[in-house]
Amino acid sequence: MEVTIREEGVAIAASSVAGRLLDDGVPQRLAAGDPALWGEEATAEAAARLGWLTLPLTSRELLPEIGKLVEWARAQGLTNVVLAGMGGSSLAAEVVCDTYDVPLTVLDTTDAHQVRRALAEGLDTTVLVVASKSGATVETDSHLRIFEAAFRAAGIDPGDRIVVVTDPDSPLEQAAIDAGYQLVLARPDVGGRYSALSAFGLVPSALAGAEIEKLLEQAGEVAPLLALTDGNPGLELGAVLGGAALNGRDKLILEDQLSEINGLPDWIEQLVAESLGKDGRGVLPVVGADPNGVSDELVVGIGSDNGDVRVDGRLGAQFLVWEYATAVAGRLLEVNPFDQPDVAGAKRNTAELLDAPAPGRPAFTDGPVEVYGETRARDLPGLLNELLDAVPGDGYLAVLAYLDRLAAFDAPVREGADFEEMTDAWMAADAATLRALLALRTDRPVTFGWGPRYLHSTGQYHKGGPGNGVFLQITGVVTDDVPVPGRPFTLGALQLAQALGDLGALAGRGRPAVRLHLTDRVTGVAHLLAAAQEA
């Protein structure tokens, strides 16, 4: 594992804080699990959240249990692995499976259309992994209930198809025992976003066919370096992140185009944003974007020279070193890297809005797009210009889409089309393309998040960070809703309540935010992308 600083300003900023970290004995204290590293107010939380430091060793104890679980699934012909989990309960496994090129369907959505896709993938060969640290995550609970009903309707005993990963003594543990589900207990002293090398990352990855032993070996090889004062990649990267942020370079552009690891920036985004974005401070990770060459950017290349800093290492080592570096950066920024104080507000709003009437009248309607919120614009190009103009000189624009993130693959493609043509067709139907179109028109970062996935990731930064974001939220009509058995709501109602709940939380903090509602999803996305090109 190697961290190479390629830009002089970054080297100076990192060096200025590295000496302080060494003087304070941070490598030795963190290796020993000292919870006082982040201040008196964070000590109690940190004391219960440092188990990730020893996961390369302790998670090896899980390998025999996971091996038996894999044998059980293979014996029943369960080759279609569906993971129901949010944030830290799913992002690491997604990276692992993408990197090892093994199939995994991740359900971190409340979009009815996307959930129906997963239900249609062949229940007769499906094993559902339900992953929730608290055991009370509303999205994951809904997925479990929906799949239980679907299995029973297909004449399948859910007890033969469901695996639960949760903390000891969580409500989900008892529910799994009562229902006779396969159960793997995770370490309670590991927070969700630091759980890549725990049962949350390992169980679904192994069921999908990834070689999880290699992950632990890779992490185990780098672990001894994290106690050193010299040649410590975690300390070096932490000094880079924290030192750069303290010097105004708090927009972390993650570049991985040449890496053999697939999707690592999405995992880093959650780890860094949720750990550091609080108390009016933080680091904003920007995924899938080109640098603008502005003064507040820090460009980090994952196995790539396209950046101020290059980070090389195999996946297991990357997981552990980024966790360590984030914890170190938290000390430098004087924030608790293990809590998420601004997430609860949006959850409370969601619960209240599930029983609330539908939103009022839109500010205006442009074709298949209704616009809600305070705006002087009267068409979509004017609105997009207004939002871009509202971004402060040190700020960013966030596009937040509560839609089916796989819908673009339904776009018609001519018979015999090559891959480039297919990609063009998919991009022209993908709401995420809006990020790139808007980024062409500003030198400020433009981020994109799928809702409610981002609520367990950048959502903490949006509400608890420096307060310099502008928000464009997108929702869409639900044409084939999914009821949630045993609950007085559908997925469509839950999804809209989550969107409105977060919009209310942002507005309550004075963040500029507008919602676009697509009355037809396909034509609405096309109309919105056309407006972005016209603006």
Side-chain angles (χ1 to χ4, degrees), residues 249-526:
R249 301 178 70 161
D250 60 353
K251 310 301 187 299
L252 174 62
I253 314 298
L254 294 163
E255 204 281 333
D256 72 334
Q257 293 181 6
L258 302 178
S259 174
E260 295 180 355
I261 301 172
N262 294 325
L264 187 62
D266 287 322
W267 176 81
I268 295 172
E269 179 184 51
Q270 188 227 4
L271 174 70
V272 171
E274 196 168 37
S275 296
L276 305 181
K278 57 201 70 168
D279 301 332
R281 282 159 274 176
V283 173
L284 175 68
V286 184
V287 177
D290 293 325
N292 288 312
V294 293
S295 61
D296 59 348
E297 289 180 340
L298 172 68
V299 184
V300 174
I302 309 298
S304 166
D305 283 331
N306 297 332
D308 304 311
V309 180
R310 175 172 174 146
V311 181
D312 290 287
R314 293 179 295 176
L315 182 54
Q318 292 271 6
F319 281 145
L320 185 61
V321 166
W322 277 96
E323 289 167 349
Y324 184 103
T326 301
V328 169
R331 175 179 171 84
L332 291 171
L333 295 180
E334 298 181 351
V335 298
N336 178 358
F338 306 113
D339 69 352
Q340 46 281 333
D342 297 288
V343 171
K347 291 183 178 180
R348 286 193 299 270
N349 290 351
T350 295
E352 294 170 1
L353 287 164
L354 277 171
D355 298 322
R361 295 173 59 84
F364 68 88
T365 300
D366 187 331
V369 181
E370 297 174 343
V371 178
Y372 294 84
E374 294 184 10
T375 176
R376 296 179 180 178
R378 285 298 171 260
D379 60 19
L380 281 177
L383 174 70
L384 297 177
N385 282 326
E386 184 179 85
L387 290 173
L388 288 167
D389 290 342
V391 178
D394 63 346
Y396 66 101
L397 173 65
V399 182
L400 311 169
Y402 286 78
L403 300 168
D404 175 1
R405 66 171 167 142
L406 302 178
F409 297 115
D410 295 335
V413 178
R414 75 170 184 85
E415 187 175 350
D418 59 24
F419 183 73
E420 184 176 352
E421 290 177 287
M422 288 190 290
T423 301
D424 289 343
W426 294 333
M427 289 184 64
D430 191 353
T433 301
L434 182 61
R435 189 213 65 76
L437 293 175
L438 294 177
L440 291 173
R441 303 181 48 243
T442 179
D443 65 358
R444 302 312 307 149
V446 181
T447 67
F448 185 92
W450 293 106
R453 169 181 170 133
Y454 79 84
L455 292 177
H456 301 260
S457 176
T458 53
Q460 167 61 42
Y461 180 94
H462 294 330
K463 293 179 281 290
N468 52 11
V470 174
F471 301 91
L472 176 62
Q473 190 186 83
I474 308 171
T475 57
V477 66
V478 177
T479 57
D480 194 9
D481 210 347
V482 177
V484 180
R487 294 289 188 239
F489 53 79
T490 64
L491 283 183
L494 175 58
Q495 182 185 45
L496 182 59
Q498 288 179 310
L500 297 179
D502 193 51
L503 203 65
L506 291 168
R509 288 166 170 77
R511 312 293 200 256
V514 173
R515 180 172 71 96
L516 309 183
H517 185 69
L518 312 182
T519 55
D520 180 288
R521 292 191 178 204
V522 175
T523 61
V525 168

Side-chain angles (χ1 to χ4, degrees), residues 35-51:
L37 278 169
W38 299 275
E40 184 177 348
E41 291 185 5
T43 298
E45 179 90 29
R49 290 289 179 266
L50 290 174

Side-chain angles (χ1 to χ4, degrees), residues 1-357:
M1 189 80 194
E2 187 174 2
V3 178
T4 306
I5 302 176
R6 305 176 63 249
E7 201 270 334
E8 184 179 4
V10 176
I12 294 172
S15 178
S16 69
V17 297
R20 189 198 325 165
L21 293 171
L22 293 175
D23 289 343
D24 292 343
V26 170
Q28 302 93 326
R29 292 172 63 189
L30 187 50
D34 182 356
L37 278 169
W38 299 275
E40 184 177 348
E41 291 185 5
T43 298
E45 179 90 29
R49 290 289 179 266
L50 290 174
W52 55 272
L53 287 163
T54 58
L55 284 177
L57 177 63
T58 59
S59 282
R60 299 193 68 83
E61 299 169 5
L62 286 172
L63 293 179
E65 181 181 1
I66 295 175
K68 292 178 182 178
L69 196 60
V70 172
E71 291 176 5
W72 163 81
R74 296 293 179 268
Q76 296 194 74
L78 304 181
T79 55
N80 178 42
V81 183
V82 178
L83 171 59
M86 303 301 298
S89 297
S90 61
L91 284 168
E94 188 171 48
V95 176
V96 172
C97 292
D98 283 349
T99 298
Y100 281 93
D101 195 24
V102 293
L104 176 70
T105 297
V106 175
L107 276 187
D108 54 1
T109 181
T110 46
D111 188 82
H113 302 267
Q114 192 172 330
V115 171
R116 284 199 181 278
R117 290 178 189 275
L119 290 169
E121 288 180 355
L123 289 175
D124 55 331
T125 61
T126 293
V127 56
L128 175 72
V129 181
V130 180
S132 171
K133 180 175 176 63
S134 69
T137 309
V138 64
E139 299 95 336
T140 306
D141 175 73
S142 298
H143 297 149
L144 173 58
R145 291 169 179 272
I146 289 166
F147 268 82
E148 285 174 332
F151 282 134
R152 293 190 183 104
I156 300 170
D157 182 356
D160 294 333
R161 299 303 176 87
I162 294 177
V163 177
V164 168
V165 182
T166 190
D167 276 6
D169 301 321
S170 79
L172 189 54
E173 178 194 10
Q174 191 58 52
I177 293 171
D178 294 342
Y181 298 151
Q182 300 280 349
L183 174 64
V184 180
L185 293 177
R187 288 187 55 169
D189 59 349
V190 178
R193 54 188 179 273
Y194 292 81
S195 65
L197 298 171
S198 77
F200 288 106
L202 300 179
V203 169
S205 299
L207 286 169
E211 299 178 80
I212 60 173
E213 296 91 342
K214 288 187 175 181
L215 285 177
L216 296 179
E217 289 171 4
Q218 294 160 8
E221 288 171 1
V222 78
L225 303 179
L226 302 182
L228 302 180
T229 56
D230 187 42
N232 180 334
L235 191 72
E236 293 167 1
L237 184 56
V240 164
L241 296 176
L246 290 172
N247 281 272
R249 301 178 70 161
D250 60 353
K251 310 301 187 299
L252 174 62
I253 314 298
L254 294 163
E255 204 281 333
D256 72 334
Q257 293 181 6
L258 302 178
S259 174
E260 295 180 355
I261 301 172
N262 294 325
L264 187 62
D266 287 322
W267 176 81
I268 295 172
E269 179 184 51
Q270 188 227 4
L271 174 70
V272 171
E274 196 168 37
S275 296
L276 305 181
K278 57 201 70 168
D279 301 332
R281 282 159 274 176
V283 173
L284 175 68
V286 184
V287 177
D290 293 325
N292 288 312
V294 293
S295 61
D296 59 348
E297 289 180 340
L298 172 68
V299 184
V300 174
I302 309 298
S304 166
D305 283 331
N306 297 332
D308 304 311
V309 180
R310 175 172 174 146
V311 181
D312 290 287
R314 293 179 295 176
L315 182 54
Q318 292 271 6
F319 281 145
L320 185 61
V321 166
W322 277 96
E323 289 167 349
Y324 184 103
T326 301
V328 169
R331 175 179 171 84
L332 291 171
L333 295 180
E334 298 181 351
V335 298
N336 178 358
F338 306 113
D339 69 352
Q340 46 281 333
D342 297 288
V343 171
K347 291 183 178 180
R348 286 193 299 270
N349 290 351
T350 295
E352 294 170 1
L353 287 164
L354 277 171
D355 298 322

